[in-house]
Every structure is written in C-alpha cells, then in structure tokens.
Tab-separated table of all heavy atoms in Angstrom:
chain	number	residue	atom	x	y	z
I	1	ALA	N	88.719	121.528	68.221
I	1	ALA	CA	87.641	120.649	68.679
I	1	ALA	C	88.125	119.537	69.609
I	1	ALA	O	87.369	119.083	70.470
I	1	ALA	CB	86.917	120.036	67.479
I	2	TYR	N	89.374	119.076	69.456
I	2	TYR	CA	89.765	117.851	70.142
I	2	TYR	C	91.047	117.904	70.961
I	2	TYR	O	91.330	116.969	71.697
I	2	TYR	CB	89.913	116.719	69.114
I	2	TYR	CG	88.595	116.139	68.664
I	2	TYR	CD1	88.020	116.536	67.470
I	2	TYR	CD2	87.917	115.195	69.445
I	2	TYR	CE1	86.813	116.007	67.044
I	2	TYR	CE2	86.712	114.661	69.032
I	2	TYR	CZ	86.159	115.074	67.830
I	2	TYR	OH	84.963	114.552	67.418
I	3	LEU	N	91.846	118.959	70.845
I	3	LEU	CA	93.153	118.923	71.505
I	3	LEU	C	93.045	118.807	73.021
I	3	LEU	O	93.754	118.011	73.643
I	3	LEU	CB	93.975	120.165	71.130
I	3	LEU	CG	95.379	120.228	71.735
I	3	LEU	CD1	96.186	118.981	71.382
I	3	LEU	CD2	96.109	121.481	71.266
I	4	VAL	N	92.165	119.583	73.642
I	4	VAL	CA	92.031	119.537	75.095
I	4	VAL	C	91.535	118.169	75.544
I	4	VAL	O	92.072	117.565	76.484
I	4	VAL	CB	91.080	120.648	75.585
I	4	VAL	CG1	90.829	120.519	77.081
I	4	VAL	CG2	91.659	122.019	75.268
I	5	GLN	N	90.533	117.656	74.861
I	5	GLN	CA	89.981	116.340	75.186
I	5	GLN	C	91.036	115.257	75.022
I	5	GLN	O	91.152	114.338	75.850
I	5	GLN	CB	88.788	116.063	74.273
I	5	GLN	CG	88.030	114.789	74.589
I	5	GLN	CD	86.868	114.577	73.630
I	5	GLN	OE1	86.530	115.446	72.839
I	5	GLN	NE2	86.262	113.407	73.692
I	6	LEU	N	91.825	115.354	73.963
I	6	LEU	CA	92.865	114.363	73.716
I	6	LEU	C	93.943	114.411	74.790
I	6	LEU	O	94.431	113.368	75.230
I	6	LEU	CB	93.489	114.601	72.342
I	6	LEU	CG	94.629	113.666	71.943
I	6	LEU	CD1	94.146	112.220	71.873
I	6	LEU	CD2	95.223	114.100	70.602
I	7	SER	N	94.300	115.610	75.230
I	7	SER	CA	95.330	115.724	76.271
I	7	SER	C	94.883	115.033	77.555
I	7	SER	O	95.679	114.390	78.237
I	7	SER	CB	95.665	117.194	76.530
I	7	SER	OG	94.650	117.843	77.267
I	8	ARG	N	93.611	115.156	77.890
I	8	ARG	CA	93.097	114.472	79.075
I	8	ARG	C	93.188	112.959	78.914
I	8	ARG	O	93.608	112.247	79.832
I	8	ARG	CB	91.642	114.886	79.338
I	8	ARG	CG	91.005	114.106	80.472
I	8	ARG	CD	89.663	114.670	80.886
I	8	ARG	NE	88.647	114.537	79.849
I	8	ARG	CZ	87.382	114.919	80.024
I	8	ARG	NH1	86.996	115.463	81.165
I	8	ARG	NH2	86.498	114.772	79.045
I	9	TYR	N	92.818	112.479	77.749
I	9	TYR	CA	92.892	111.045	77.464
I	9	TYR	C	94.326	110.532	77.620
I	9	TYR	O	94.568	109.491	78.241
I	9	TYR	CB	92.372	110.771	76.058
I	9	TYR	CG	92.552	109.350	75.601
I	9	TYR	CD1	91.711	108.338	76.050
I	9	TYR	CD2	93.569	109.011	74.705
I	9	TYR	CE1	91.879	107.029	75.638
I	9	TYR	CE2	93.742	107.702	74.284
I	9	TYR	CZ	92.895	106.714	74.750
I	9	TYR	OH	93.073	105.418	74.332
I	10	VAL	N	95.281	111.271	77.084
I	10	VAL	CA	96.692	110.874	77.175
I	10	VAL	C	97.166	110.889	78.617
I	10	VAL	O	97.812	109.946	79.093
I	10	VAL	CB	97.567	111.803	76.299
I	10	VAL	CG1	99.054	111.616	76.616
I	10	VAL	CG2	97.309	111.539	74.820
I	11	HIS	N	96.823	111.936	79.348
I	11	HIS	CA	97.307	112.064	80.720
I	11	HIS	C	96.699	111.041	81.672
I	11	HIS	O	97.286	110.751	82.724
I	11	HIS	CB	97.017	113.482	81.236
I	11	HIS	CG	97.923	114.514	80.642
I	11	HIS	ND1	97.512	115.805	80.369
I	11	HIS	CD2	99.226	114.451	80.234
I	11	HIS	CE1	98.530	116.485	79.852
I	11	HIS	NE2	99.567	115.691	79.752
I	12	LEU	N	95.546	110.489	81.321
I	12	LEU	CA	94.917	109.481	82.180
I	12	LEU	C	95.367	108.058	81.847
I	12	LEU	O	94.926	107.105	82.484
I	12	LEU	CB	93.394	109.582	82.074
I	12	LEU	CG	92.761	110.795	82.767
I	12	LEU	CD1	91.263	110.850	82.492
I	12	LEU	CD2	93.023	110.772	84.269
I	13	ASN	N	96.255	107.920	80.893
I	13	ASN	CA	96.718	106.595	80.482
I	13	ASN	C	97.270	105.765	81.645
I	13	ASN	O	96.911	104.590	81.788
I	13	ASN	CB	97.764	106.744	79.365
I	13	ASN	CG	97.932	105.484	78.558
I	13	ASN	OD1	98.722	104.624	78.896
I	13	ASN	ND2	97.178	105.369	77.476
I	14	PRO	N	98.120	106.319	82.502
I	14	PRO	CA	98.649	105.523	83.623
I	14	PRO	C	97.579	105.105	84.621
I	14	PRO	O	97.711	104.073	85.281
I	14	PRO	CB	99.676	106.457	84.275
I	14	PRO	CG	100.021	107.454	83.216
I	14	PRO	CD	98.751	107.652	82.436
I	15	VAL	N	96.501	105.901	84.726
I	15	VAL	CA	95.392	105.540	85.611
I	15	VAL	C	94.605	104.377	85.010
I	15	VAL	O	94.262	103.415	85.702
I	15	VAL	CB	94.472	106.753	85.859
I	15	VAL	CG1	93.277	106.350	86.727
I	15	VAL	CG2	95.248	107.884	86.517
I	16	ARG	N	94.329	104.452	83.702
I	16	ARG	CA	93.618	103.358	83.035
I	16	ARG	C	94.417	102.055	83.101
I	16	ARG	O	93.847	100.974	83.193
I	16	ARG	CB	93.337	103.714	81.567
I	16	ARG	CG	92.301	104.797	81.376
I	16	ARG	CD	91.832	104.868	79.923
I	16	ARG	NE	92.949	105.104	79.012
I	16	ARG	CZ	93.407	106.312	78.693
I	16	ARG	NH1	92.863	107.396	79.220
I	16	ARG	NH2	94.423	106.453	77.857
I	17	ALA	N	95.737	102.179	83.084
I	17	ALA	CA	96.603	100.994	83.158
I	17	ALA	C	96.779	100.504	84.590
I	17	ALA	O	97.479	99.509	84.822
I	17	ALA	CB	97.966	101.314	82.548
I	18	LYS	N	96.143	101.213	85.556
I	18	LYS	CA	96.176	100.849	86.978
I	18	LYS	C	97.594	100.888	87.557
I	18	LYS	O	97.945	100.121	88.463
I	18	LYS	CB	95.535	99.477	87.206
I	18	LYS	CG	94.089	99.406	86.735
I	18	LYS	CD	93.421	98.103	87.126
I	18	LYS	CE	92.020	97.982	86.544
I	18	LYS	NZ	91.147	99.120	86.882
I	19	ILE	N	98.414	101.791	87.035
I	19	ILE	CA	99.754	101.987	87.579
I	19	ILE	C	99.709	102.954	88.757
I	19	ILE	O	100.425	102.783	89.747
I	19	ILE	CB	100.700	102.524	86.483
I	19	ILE	CG1	100.832	101.487	85.359
I	19	ILE	CG2	102.078	102.858	87.059
I	19	ILE	CD1	101.598	101.990	84.159
I	20	VAL	N	98.864	103.969	88.637
I	20	VAL	CA	98.653	104.946	89.709
I	20	VAL	C	97.157	105.203	89.841
I	20	VAL	O	96.380	104.895	88.940
I	20	VAL	CB	99.379	106.285	89.411
I	20	VAL	CG1	100.887	106.115	89.449
I	20	VAL	CG2	98.932	106.858	88.061
I	21	GLU	N	96.775	105.760	90.973
I	21	GLU	CA	95.370	106.098	91.184
I	21	GLU	C	95.041	107.491	90.692
I	21	GLU	O	93.884	107.776	90.350
I	21	GLU	CB	95.012	105.969	92.672
I	21	GLU	CG	95.039	104.522	93.179
I	21	GLU	CD	94.547	104.407	94.603
I	21	GLU	OE1	94.204	105.462	95.202
I	21	GLU	OE2	94.500	103.289	95.127
I	22	ARG	N	96.057	108.356	90.654
I	22	ARG	CA	95.844	109.732	90.213
I	22	ARG	C	96.921	110.094	89.180
I	22	ARG	O	98.084	109.713	89.339
I	22	ARG	CB	95.900	110.700	91.394
I	22	ARG	CG	94.830	110.434	92.447
I	22	ARG	CD	94.893	111.469	93.550
I	22	ARG	NE	94.708	112.813	93.022
I	22	ARG	CZ	93.517	113.369	92.781
I	22	ARG	NH1	92.413	112.679	93.006
I	22	ARG	NH2	93.426	114.591	92.317
I	23	PRO	N	96.566	110.853	88.154
I	23	PRO	CA	97.526	111.118	87.073
I	23	PRO	C	98.751	111.909	87.514
I	23	PRO	O	99.830	111.738	86.945
I	23	PRO	CB	96.697	111.885	86.041
I	23	PRO	CG	95.551	112.473	86.799
I	23	PRO	CD	95.259	111.476	87.876
I	24	GLU	N	98.606	112.772	88.525
I	24	GLU	CA	99.759	113.564	88.961
I	24	GLU	C	100.802	112.734	89.696
I	24	GLU	O	101.933	113.179	89.919
I	24	GLU	CB	99.316	114.745	89.839
I	24	GLU	CG	98.707	114.363	91.170
I	24	GLU	CD	97.192	114.249	91.108
I	24	GLU	OE1	96.656	113.947	90.016
I	24	GLU	OE2	96.546	114.463	92.147
I	25	HIS	N	100.438	111.498	90.053
I	25	HIS	CA	101.391	110.621	90.732
I	25	HIS	C	102.318	109.900	89.758
I	25	HIS	O	103.239	109.205	90.190
I	25	HIS	CB	100.647	109.585	91.578
I	25	HIS	CG	99.886	110.188	92.713
I	25	HIS	ND1	98.872	109.517	93.374
I	25	HIS	CD2	99.978	111.410	93.306
I	25	HIS	CE1	98.377	110.293	94.314
I	25	HIS	NE2	99.025	111.447	94.300
I	26	TYR	N	102.063	110.076	88.461
I	26	TYR	CA	102.906	109.414	87.461
I	26	TYR	C	103.945	110.405	86.959
I	26	TYR	O	103.610	111.451	86.390
I	26	TYR	CB	102.056	108.897	86.293
I	26	TYR	CG	102.820	107.961	85.384
I	26	TYR	CD1	103.194	106.702	85.820
I	26	TYR	CD2	103.175	108.355	84.095
I	26	TYR	CE1	103.903	105.837	85.004
I	26	TYR	CE2	103.882	107.497	83.263
I	26	TYR	CZ	104.248	106.237	83.727
I	26	TYR	OH	104.956	105.389	82.916
I	27	ARG	N	105.187	110.061	87.159
I	27	ARG	CA	106.287	110.981	86.872
I	27	ARG	C	106.508	111.207	85.374
I	27	ARG	O	106.915	112.291	84.952
I	27	ARG	CB	107.564	110.428	87.516
I	27	ARG	CG	108.825	111.223	87.207
I	27	ARG	CD	110.032	110.535	87.828
I	27	ARG	NE	111.283	111.217	87.464
I	27	ARG	CZ	112.486	110.753	87.727
I	27	ARG	NH1	112.608	109.604	88.393
I	27	ARG	NH2	113.574	111.416	87.354
I	28	TRP	N	106.239	110.181	84.570
I	28	TRP	CA	106.655	110.211	83.165
I	28	TRP	C	105.530	110.700	82.246
I	28	TRP	O	105.176	110.065	81.274
I	28	TRP	CB	107.164	108.832	82.752
I	28	TRP	CG	108.237	108.370	83.676
I	28	TRP	CD1	108.139	107.404	84.634
I	28	TRP	CD2	109.558	108.899	83.768
I	28	TRP	NE1	109.313	107.295	85.317
I	28	TRP	CE2	110.213	108.205	84.808
I	28	TRP	CE3	110.255	109.903	83.079
I	28	TRP	CZ2	111.537	108.470	85.161
I	28	TRP	CZ3	111.562	110.165	83.438
I	28	TRP	CH2	112.192	109.453	84.463
I	29	SER	N	105.000	111.839	82.616
I	29	SER	CA	103.886	112.440	81.896
I	29	SER	C	104.031	113.948	81.963
I	29	SER	O	104.641	114.487	82.903
I	29	SER	CB	102.569	111.987	82.534
I	29	SER	OG	101.517	112.879	82.266
I	30	SER	N	103.455	114.639	81.004
I	30	SER	CA	103.474	116.102	81.038
I	30	SER	C	102.445	116.667	82.014
I	30	SER	O	102.450	117.869	82.290
I	30	SER	CB	103.216	116.673	79.632
I	30	SER	OG	102.086	116.083	79.032
I	31	TYR	N	101.582	115.817	82.563
I	31	TYR	CA	100.498	116.309	83.412
I	31	TYR	C	100.969	117.036	84.674
I	31	TYR	O	100.424	118.119	84.985
I	31	TYR	CB	99.571	115.148	83.793
I	31	TYR	CG	98.375	115.575	84.604
I	31	TYR	CD1	97.359	116.337	84.030
I	31	TYR	CD2	98.257	115.232	85.941
I	31	TYR	CE1	96.260	116.741	84.773
I	31	TYR	CE2	97.159	115.630	86.691
I	31	TYR	CZ	96.163	116.382	86.105
I	31	TYR	OH	95.076	116.781	86.832
I	32	PRO	N	101.945	116.522	85.437
I	32	PRO	CA	102.370	117.260	86.629
I	32	PRO	C	102.799	118.691	86.322
I	32	PRO	O	102.542	119.611	87.107
I	32	PRO	CB	103.540	116.418	87.162
I	32	PRO	CG	103.227	115.027	86.718
I	32	PRO	CD	102.631	115.206	85.339
I	33	GLY	N	103.430	118.907	85.174
I	33	GLY	CA	103.810	120.259	84.783
I	33	GLY	C	102.614	121.143	84.480
I	33	GLY	O	102.651	122.355	84.711
I	34	TYR	N	101.547	120.524	83.975
I	34	TYR	CA	100.329	121.284	83.660
I	34	TYR	C	99.656	121.839	84.904
I	34	TYR	O	99.092	122.934	84.880
I	34	TYR	CB	99.341	120.400	82.905
I	34	TYR	CG	99.406	120.548	81.409
I	34	TYR	CD1	100.119	119.637	80.628
I	34	TYR	CD2	98.769	121.593	80.751
I	34	TYR	CE1	100.192	119.765	79.249
I	34	TYR	CE2	98.825	121.739	79.379
I	34	TYR	CZ	99.538	120.817	78.635
I	34	TYR	OH	99.613	120.965	77.273
I	35	ILE	N	99.699	121.090	85.979
I	35	ILE	CA	98.964	121.516	87.173
I	35	ILE	C	99.885	122.080	88.251
I	35	ILE	O	99.440	122.402	89.346
I	35	ILE	CB	98.117	120.363	87.744
I	35	ILE	CG1	99.000	119.221	88.245
I	35	ILE	CG2	97.133	119.861	86.693
I	35	ILE	CD1	98.245	118.164	89.018
I	36	GLY	N	101.189	122.173	87.946
I	36	GLY	CA	102.116	122.805	88.872
I	36	GLY	C	102.644	121.904	89.960
I	36	GLY	O	103.187	122.390	90.958
I	37	GLU	N	102.504	120.579	89.782
I	37	GLU	CA	103.001	119.645	90.792
I	37	GLU	C	104.534	119.594	90.785
I	37	GLU	O	105.165	119.384	91.804
I	37	GLU	CB	102.437	118.244	90.536
I	37	GLU	CG	100.982	118.078	90.925
I	37	GLU	CD	100.779	118.112	92.433
I	37	GLU	OE1	101.546	117.466	93.158
I	37	GLU	OE2	99.852	118.816	92.878
I	38	THR	N	105.135	119.743	89.626
I	38	THR	CA	106.586	119.737	89.495
I	38	THR	C	106.978	120.881	88.577
I	38	THR	O	106.134	121.549	87.980
I	38	THR	CB	107.087	118.413	88.891
I	38	THR	OG1	106.491	118.241	87.598
I	38	THR	CG2	106.715	117.230	89.770
I	39	GLY	N	108.279	121.099	88.453
I	39	GLY	CA	108.759	122.141	87.568
I	39	GLY	C	108.365	121.868	86.127
I	39	GLY	O	108.409	120.727	85.663
I	40	GLU	N	107.998	122.896	85.432
I	40	GLU	CA	107.611	122.744	84.035
I	40	GLU	C	108.855	122.603	83.162
I	40	GLU	O	109.901	123.157	83.457
I	40	GLU	CB	106.810	123.966	83.580
I	40	GLU	CG	105.504	124.154	84.319
I	40	GLU	CD	104.760	125.390	83.846
I	40	GLU	OE1	105.221	126.023	82.883
I	40	GLU	OE2	103.722	125.712	84.444
I	41	PHE	N	108.727	121.848	82.079
I	41	PHE	CA	109.781	121.767	81.078
I	41	PHE	C	109.599	122.918	80.087
I	41	PHE	O	108.486	123.176	79.629
I	41	PHE	CB	109.724	120.434	80.326
I	41	PHE	CG	110.163	119.250	81.137
I	41	PHE	CD1	109.345	118.123	81.240
I	41	PHE	CD2	111.385	119.251	81.779
I	41	PHE	CE1	109.754	117.027	81.977
I	41	PHE	CE2	111.799	118.156	82.524
I	41	PHE	CZ	110.989	117.032	82.624
I	42	THR	N	110.698	123.560	79.727
I	42	THR	CA	110.603	124.683	78.798
I	42	THR	C	110.177	124.239	77.409
I	42	THR	O	109.667	125.037	76.620
I	42	THR	CB	111.955	125.405	78.690
I	42	THR	OG1	112.968	124.464	78.283
I	42	THR	CG2	112.354	126.016	80.031
I	43	TRP	N	110.362	122.954	77.095
I	43	TRP	CA	110.068	122.467	75.747
I	43	TRP	C	108.655	121.887	75.613
I	43	TRP	O	108.284	121.417	74.538
I	43	TRP	CB	111.110	121.431	75.317
I	43	TRP	CG	111.367	120.347	76.317
I	43	TRP	CD1	112.292	120.353	77.327
I	43	TRP	CD2	110.697	119.089	76.417
I	43	TRP	NE1	112.228	119.188	78.047
I	43	TRP	CE2	111.261	118.390	77.501
I	43	TRP	CE3	109.670	118.494	75.671
I	43	TRP	CZ2	110.832	117.117	77.877
I	43	TRP	CZ3	109.242	117.229	76.050
I	43	TRP	CH2	109.821	116.560	77.135
I	44	VAL	N	107.880	121.907	76.667
I	44	VAL	CA	106.477	121.463	76.579
I	44	VAL	C	105.595	122.692	76.402
I	44	VAL	O	105.737	123.692	77.103
I	44	VAL	CB	106.048	120.674	77.829
I	44	VAL	CG1	104.567	120.322	77.759
I	44	VAL	CG2	106.873	119.395	77.963
C-alpha cells in the first residue's frame, strides 16, 4: 500500500529542503539510479 508512495516522499526530500530544484540533481540519493541518470548500485 505504501512503499512506492514512501519512496517518492524520500526522494523529494532535497527538493523540499530547497537544495535542488529537481530530485535527480541530488547526488546523495537512490533516485538517480532509479531513473538511469547514473550507474545503479548493486546493493540497492
């Protein structure tokens, strides 16, 4: 019921904190790996 929704909430944290305008611009998140912006980690 909630895992997908929660992942979005977590990945948007840097945007809510006004550190970046888009979540894929934040390096220290699993989000870039989810959308293919950077290499995926084998442990995620």
